[in-house]
Amino acid sequence: MYPNPLTTTQAVDPVFKFILGVCIVLLVGITLTMIAFVIRYHRSRSPEPTSQASGNVWLETVWIAFPTVLVLAMFWFGWEGYLSLRNVPKNALKVTATARQWSWSFTYDNGKTSSKLYVPVGKPVLVNLVSLDVLHGFYLPAFRVKHDVVPNMKNHVWFVAEKSGSYDLFCSVYCGTGHSGMITSVEAVPPAQFETWLNQRGGAEHAGKELLEKHGCLGCHTLDGTPKVGPTLKDIWGRSVTVLTNGKERTITVDDRYLRRSILEPKADLVKGYPPVMPSFKGQITDDDIKTIINFLHAGGEAAPKPDGAKLAREKGCLACHSLDGSSGVGPTFKGLYQKRLTVLQNGIRMTITADDTYLRESILKPKAKIVEGFQPVMPDFSDLKTDEVQALVEFIEGVK
Amino acid sequence: MTSAAQFSPATSSFWNDTGKSGITSWVFSTDHKRIGLLYLYSVLTFFLIAVSLGALLRIELMAPGRTIMGPQTYNAVFTVHGVLMIFLFIIPGFPGAFGNLIMPIQIGARDVAFPRLNLFSWWLYIAGAAIIVTSLFTGGGPPDTGWTFYVPFSERTGTNVSLAVFGVFIVGFSSILTGVNFVTTIHRLRAEGMRWGRLPLFVWSVYATAWVQILATPILGITLVLILAERVLGTGLFDPTKGGDPLMYQHLFWIYSHPAVYIMILPGMGVISDIIPVFARKPIFGYKMIAFSSLAIAGAGSLVWGHHMFTSGMSDNAVLIFSFLTFVVAIPSAIKVFNWVSTLYRGSISLEAPMLFALSFILLFSIGGLAGLILGAAATDIHVHDTQFVVGHFHYVIFGGAGFAFFGAMHYWLPKFYGRRYHERTAVIAWALLFVGFNITYFSMMVLGMEGMPRRYYDYLPEFAPLNLVSTIGSWIMISGLILMMVNLFRGLFRGEAIGQNPWGGATLEWSVPTPPPTENFIEEPVVTHGPYDFKGAGIP
């Protein structure tokens, strides 16, 4: 019904020009009329009023009708342009933008994450918006798109970059101390280059892990030991578990046979304490793939690569407030922080401590426990990080000399 | 100025005719004029503090990076600037100060309908203001949420949001009671012959405003109590992690706060409608249309709050309806502008200070209003929403509109109550500085917004630096004009040239009583025989 124009910019800019043009004509008209009247009928030229007219039905009808038509036209053009912003092209590339105080992170369909939004030139991009804490706003001035990022609400925007280049991405809804620093960019690159970037991997990953991602297993089963909707897959092989078989409890040891059966008939032996919600993968997964996954699980989580501290610092937004070059930001710089003597406030009491492993770990998990003097207690706690991620971050900070 | 030469200020007036003196004769007075002046002094105090904070914000934004304060301080300063300007200056300012001073005399009444309730309203205002000021120096320090108190941030910040919203809640009651008082007064206490069709347009605007105060303010009260409940009891109404809805807060907040914009601007339109005929010596053009459009703005303006939420995630149907209604409200505003300009046609125009403020009101309000059309259209709003464009637009409407009307009212009416007036040429220079500085400051902001600079930004990218510097320099010109205006105005009111009963040649009732007016306003009960802008009928040459 409403054909999409080529880009969001093309949807908004004609409306902008129309309304702005009408506004300027009206403003100039009103101002010039006013100035002309003030000069012509100034008391020095017109010592007495030459009219006592207090109204004119014909004139007043005209200037009710005239703005009515104008504003209804503006309303309609504005609405049509808005619909174009809302109608996402079918072939759009999907990306999820995750906002938190005070950083952005972008996740692609293949699981790749990035702190900048890489997009292919000429292809529409659909961005799903997720907030982990308070309200944020996803704003791309160059593409005229903006949408609030609301916790627990599914919002989206779409845009298409016509030329390669780097475009500003701002947070538009006030979100606290670091609001004006919550800036990243859209990097529009030629499609071939984008494909290469998208499929580049941080390190050689086990084919089994990629299969788990591909089939969505990791949505419910983690590789790091934390239970989610289903039990974790870490060290699962050889583990002794209590399962329900036809309503009866029994204890078994996880082996190849059990794993294969759980994929194909998940409800046959259900691990106690978990809901029977897993769909059967019978007919959806090849025998070879099952073998690859089981081989991966034999290794029991060791195959999960060690987290990269530098990458985490970027993605979790640490670097939005803590610099690497010694300059002071919302928080203290990481440069030379390790083993530095610091004056901190603990429950309002001043004390001097050394920034050692323990202190750095505590500062990530419970940042408000000890605040470095001269800084605001505004850092959100990162207690949702996993133990090995915290360790990787600490090691990364120690390395910034 | 016609009768100044042969007149000396009345020896007996509301300043001394009750025989009481001292501070208690003011803070416990039930005289609408004394209460009006109490409001005037209180709101101007908060206005000047908030202006200083605004100046600090502009200095911080003069260049990228840290200039004079850190990000947390900046966030607190812009929040307090907004809270003081909105809740303690411009909302209570017009009804409290000029509504009280002028409206009862203009309808031929001795006082408002409920004089003691009127005094209580002022005390509630002072109590609420005291609580807000206390919140800046206690607990976790001044709030850093912005004057909108958006959730879930306002629930989680450690700053003193709870006490501040409680203060605003108390001030809200003051506003409701003033509204009730004024509606009753205008219905019941009009003098003989003061038909609805003879009400001065300022009274019409105060009447429309009072209804908005009565109907919309309770919703703000409830909303603020709910924030308190969220923070203190953790009720989870707005907190998404507890099943609440942040958008519901935004709806509740704007159901009040959009109509509140009309509480700010409608009385200003009324002032302009009273000043222009007097200085053009012509009846206002289209009296009925202007009076009716005030009511139309108050009514339709209560249904457009959703245009603050086009990007919030609200449904597309809601965007359609709110965008449509927003454009409907533009029509009565346009009618007023055309009527004001037509009043000048074939008049005899004198460009004294009140008239300069009135004419610049028309221009600045038009710029602000036309910028509002860009914000009202769904497609264009998406780009400029939450940017400096909104900051510029808002200041054009509320400072260039309501603020300039307030200054115009001060120059037009205050001499009547003090019996003395300011120096005219100095007032014109102050106006010129204000007008030029104002446009430099806020027009730059609108351009910055169209270029994409978001609002509430402590720091910005280098591409925004030149215009931010221009805007800051503009603010210095504006503030020098403001200081000159205040000094000239108050110096003149206490020590200036004495004025007569009707210095401007106005036909409304306040110019028919002695200067300054006696406590009961009228020496004899007035009988109204002519319209408010019928200069011939009032016997004015």
Side-chain angles (χ1 to χ4, degrees):
Chain A
M1 190 163 141
Y2 301 100
N4 272 312
L6 277 174
T7 67
T8 50
T9 316
Q10 285 162 349
V12 172
D13 281 6
V15 187
F16 224 110
K17 282 175 192 149
F18 168 68
I19 299 180
L20 205 58
V22 173
C23 287
I24 289 170
V25 170
L26 282 175
L27 185 67
V28 170
I30 291 167
T31 313
L32 289 183
T33 312
M34 207 161 77
I35 292 174
F37 284 175
V38 167
I39 294 172
R40 172 64 189 83
Y41 303 113
H42 190 267
R43 201 158 289 172
S44 57
R45 265 176 224 92
S46 166
E48 289 299 326
T50 52
S51 156
Q52 289 293 316
S54 61
N56 180 319
V57 175
W58 186 81
L59 252 183
E60 289 180 76
T61 312
V62 168
W63 69 50
I64 293 171
F66 168 67
T68 305
V69 172
L70 266 186
V71 297
L72 289 182
M74 290 180 189
F75 156 70
W76 187 249
F77 287 136
W79 172 246
E80 286 207 313
Y82 176 80
L83 281 181
S84 305
L85 296 181
R86 301 295 296 163
N87 286 348
V88 186
K90 291 275 183 299
N91 60 337
L93 170 84
K94 288 189 184 67
V95 186
T96 299
T98 307
R100 67 183 303 161
Q101 286 173 316
W102 292 282
S103 65
W104 295 98
S105 156
F106 304 95
T107 312
Y108 294 80
D109 267 355
N110 67 356
K112 180 156 181 133
T113 63
S114 162
S115 59
K116 286 183 178 181
L117 179 51
Y118 284 87
V119 299
V121 169
K123 187 172 164 74
V125 180
L126 167 67
V127 187
N128 290 305
L129 304 168
V130 174
S131 167
L132 298 181
D133 38 48
V134 298
L135 299 181
H136 298 283
F138 179 97
Y139 179 30
L140 291 172
F143 304 106
R144 318 286 189 256
V145 296
K146 179 184 287 123
H147 209 292
D148 291 9
V149 187
V150 183
N152 283 18
M153 188 171 182
K154 283 179 183 160
N155 289 333
H156 67 265
V157 295
W158 80 271
F159 67 95
V160 50
E162 279 187 298
K163 288 185 197 139
S164 31
S166 181
Y167 305 92
D168 297 327
L169 195 169
F170 297 122
C171 174
S172 57
V173 177
Y174 173 72
C175 58
T177 314
H179 170 54
S180 64
M182 198 167 153
I183 298 175
T184 181
S185 60
V186 166
E187 302 292 335
V189 297
Q193 195 183 330
F194 174 77
E195 284 304 319
T196 319
W197 174 84
L198 187 64
N199 295 310
Q200 223 169 44
R201 284 292 174 168
E205 294 220 67
H206 197 285
K209 189 182 169 198
E210 285 188 5
L211 283 171
L212 288 174
E213 271 178 6
K214 182 182 157 197
H215 290 287
C217 314
L218 301 183
C220 299
H221 304 278
T222 67
L223 291 173
D224 60 14
T226 48
K228 247 169 127 181
V229 180
T232 181
L233 300 181
K234 188 184 183 192
D235 297 326
I236 194 166
W237 202 83
R239 199 194 298 163
S240 180
V241 292
T242 307
V243 295
L244 292 169
T245 309
N246 295 326
K248 279 187 200 135
E249 278 189 31
R250 64 187 183 115
T251 302
I252 56 154
T253 303
V254 175
D255 54 10
D256 289 9
R257 221 181 108 255
Y258 171 75
L259 285 174
R260 179 181 295 271
R261 194 172 174 201
S262 293
I263 293 169
L264 300 174
E265 300 170 58
K267 294 183 183 85
D269 297 307
L270 190 72
V271 180
K272 196 185 165 194
Y274 291 93
V277 292
M278 179 169 156
S280 165
F281 281 78
K282 199 175 264 179
Q284 298 179 21
I285 189 165
T286 63
D287 208 46
D288 282 350
D289 281 0
I290 294 180
K291 275 184 193 150
T292 315
I293 288 174
I294 291 175
N295 275 337
F296 174 68
L297 294 178
H298 281 173
E302 276 169 35
K306 190 177 162 184
D308 176 352
K311 187 160 164 259
L312 274 170
R314 210 166 49 240
E315 284 173 9
K316 295 291 175 191
C318 312
L319 302 186
C321 300
H322 302 277
S323 77
L324 295 176
D325 59 6
S327 62
S328 189
V330 174
T333 181
F334 284 157
K335 189 181 178 183
L337 183 61
Y338 185 55
Q339 296 299 10
K340 195 176 175 181
R341 299 285 290 168
L342 295 172
T343 310
V344 297
L345 291 170
Q346 182 171 24
N347 296 327
I349 300 161
R350 276 184 66 171
M351 52 195 282
T352 306
I353 52 129
T354 303
D356 53 10
D357 282 40
T358 322
Y359 170 74
L360 290 177
R361 195 167 291 121
E362 184 191 53
S363 296
I364 294 167
L365 297 171
K366 281 191 277 173
K368 292 187 181 75
K370 297 192 184 78
I371 300 289
V372 179
E373 197 173 35
F375 292 92
Q376 294 290 329
V378 292
M379 176 166 157
D381 66 48
F382 286 80
S383 48
D384 55 337
L385 286 180
K386 289 145 202 147
T387 321
D388 53 346
E389 287 178 322
V390 174
Q391 186 56 33
L393 270 175
V394 169
E395 282 169 19
F396 165 72
I397 294 168
E398 289 171 2
V400 187
K401 297 258 162 58
Chain B
M1 293 299 294
T2 46
S3 55
Q6 64 268 28
F7 188 88
S8 64
T11 46
S12 173
S13 71
F14 79 100
W15 292 90
N16 53 24
D17 66 3
T18 55
K20 291 180 197 146
S21 63
I23 184 83
T24 52
S25 76
W26 283 86
V27 298
F28 297 120
S29 168
T30 55
D31 177 9
H32 69 96
K33 296 178 289 301
R34 290 196 170 205
I35 293 173
L37 289 180
L38 287 177
Y39 266 113
L40 182 76
Y41 295 139
S42 334
V43 299
L44 283 182
T45 305
F46 288 111
F47 172 66
L48 293 176
I49 297 171
V51 165
S52 315
L53 294 175
L56 292 178
L57 294 174
R58 275 308 339 154
I59 294 173
E60 174 53 44
L61 290 176
M62 195 162 77
R66 186 192 171 105
T67 313
I68 52 167
M69 58 180 109
Q72 184 64 28
T73 314
Y74 177 87
N75 295 343
V77 171
F78 82 66
T79 302
V80 178
H81 168 79
V83 169
L84 296 188
M85 279 291 193
I86 304 248
F87 295 115
L88 297 186
F89 170 57
I90 200 71
I91 288 180
F94 261 120
F98 289 106
N100 261 314
L101 280 172
I102 304 300
M103 182 272 287
I105 312 186
Q106 279 195 333
I107 64 169
R110 271 179 294 182
D111 206 320
V112 294
F114 310 114
R116 272 171 294 192
L117 188 68
N118 201 19
L119 176 65
F120 182 59
S121 297
W122 180 75
W123 273 105
L124 275 180
Y125 166 80
I126 290 297
I131 293 173
I132 293 172
V133 171
T134 309
S135 79
L136 308 183
F137 302 104
T138 54
D144 63 343
T145 57
W147 75 278
T148 47
F149 301 115
Y150 264 25
V151 293
F153 183 76
S154 61
E155 297 176 9
R156 300 191 188 159
T157 176
T159 55
N160 211 349
V161 169
S162 305
L163 200 58
V165 296
F166 182 65
V168 174
F169 175 76
I170 300 287
V171 173
F173 269 101
S174 156
S175 188
I176 297 169
L177 295 179
T178 301
V180 170
N181 212 340
F182 284 5
V183 165
T184 316
T185 306
I186 294 168
H187 271 277
R188 305 299 303 164
L189 298 187
R190 281 172 288 130
E192 193 186 336
M194 179 55 82
R195 302 195 296 256
W196 285 93
R198 285 179 180 164
L199 282 182
L201 287 165
F202 178 68
V203 176
W204 270 110
S205 71
V206 168
Y207 180 71
T209 306
W211 275 111
V212 181
Q213 287 175 283
I214 296 171
L215 296 175
T217 319
I219 297 166
L220 176 77
I222 295 285
T223 312
L224 296 176
V225 168
L226 291 179
I227 292 196
L228 272 176
E230 287 285 277
R231 284 180 66 88
V232 180
L233 307 173
T235 44
L237 287 159
F238 304 136
D239 187 343
T241 61
K242 293 174 186 155
D245 183 0
L247 265 68
M248 185 168 74
Y249 172 82
Q250 295 174 26
H251 279 293
L252 288 170
F253 181 81
W254 289 114
I255 286 174
Y256 167 76
S257 296
H258 192 79
V261 174
Y262 298 111
I263 299 180
M264 307 173 205
I265 192 72
L266 276 174
M269 294 170 158
V271 171
I272 301 311
S273 309
D274 267 15
I275 290 178
I276 290 177
V278 171
F279 289 84
R281 291 205 184 152
K282 256 192 74 191
I284 191 87
F285 195 87
Y287 171 89
K288 279 186 190 157
M289 284 315 297
I290 295 183
F292 174 75
S293 63
S294 286
L295 297 178
I297 290 174
S302 299
L303 302 172
V304 302
W305 74 84
H307 66 216
H308 295 268
M309 298 171 61
F310 287 169
T311 69
S312 66
M314 179 173 78
S315 76
D316 290 346
N317 286 345
V319 173
L320 174 76
I321 291 162
F322 282 119
S323 175
F324 176 76
L325 290 172
T326 302
F327 278 106
V328 170
V329 179
I331 301 168
S333 305
I335 293 171
K336 284 191 194 241
V337 169
F338 294 143
N339 279 327
W340 290 325
V341 174
S342 309
T343 305
L344 301 174
Y345 177 66
R346 294 177 72 182
S348 171
I349 298 164
S350 153
L351 288 180
E352 286 164 277
M355 186 61 160
L356 288 174
F357 278 108
L359 294 177
S360 48
F361 170 100
I362 298 178
L363 180 64
L364 300 179
F365 176 74
S366 296
I367 297 178
L370 291 169
L373 298 177
I374 293 176
L375 290 162
T380 44
D381 176 73
I382 300 300
H383 176 49
V384 286
H385 181 77
D386 270 329
T387 67
Q388 298 285 327
F389 186 85
V390 174
V391 184
H393 154 76
F394 184 73
H395 283 85
Y396 262 97
V397 177
I398 299 305
F399 187 6
F404 271 59
F406 197 89
F407 302 152
M410 283 166 71
H411 286 84
Y412 180 59
W413 275 318
L414 287 186
K416 179 76 194 173
F417 293 88
Y418 291 79
R420 294 176 185 281
R421 63 164 299 178
Y422 48 87
H423 186 253
E424 176 64 26
R425 188 174 296 171
T426 314
V428 172
I429 296 169
W431 165 81
L433 284 172
L434 252 174
F435 182 74
V436 171
F438 177 95
N439 282 295
I440 298 175
T441 309
Y442 298 111
F443 204 82
S444 312
M445 288 190 191
M446 290 208 285
V447 178
L448 278 169
M450 286 198 270
E451 288 175 357
M453 179 179 164
R455 69 201 276 238
R456 296 173 167 178
Y457 255 34
Y458 161 74
D459 193 7
Y460 48 82
L461 296 178
E463 66 226 48
F464 302 125
L467 274 175
N468 268 297
L469 181 61
V470 169
S471 174
T472 300
I473 293 170
S475 76
W476 296 337
I477 302 173
M478 183 167 72
I479 286 168
S480 57
L482 199 59
I483 294 170
L484 185 62
M485 181 191 86
M486 287 291 178
V487 170
N488 177 47
L489 194 63
F490 280 94
R491 196 184 161 278
L493 292 177
F494 290 103
R495 285 199 241 147
E497 182 193 347
I499 58 150
Q501 182 173 308
N502 191 358
W504 314 116
T508 40
L509 281 182
E510 74 271 28
W511 308 111
S512 70
V513 300
T515 294
T519 294
E520 301 216 321
N521 298 339
F522 297 90
I523 295 163
E524 289 170 35
E525 230 166 82
V527 177
V528 182
T529 55
H530 59 85
Y533 311 107
D534 179 1
F535 299 99
K536 290 249 156 53
I540 292 153

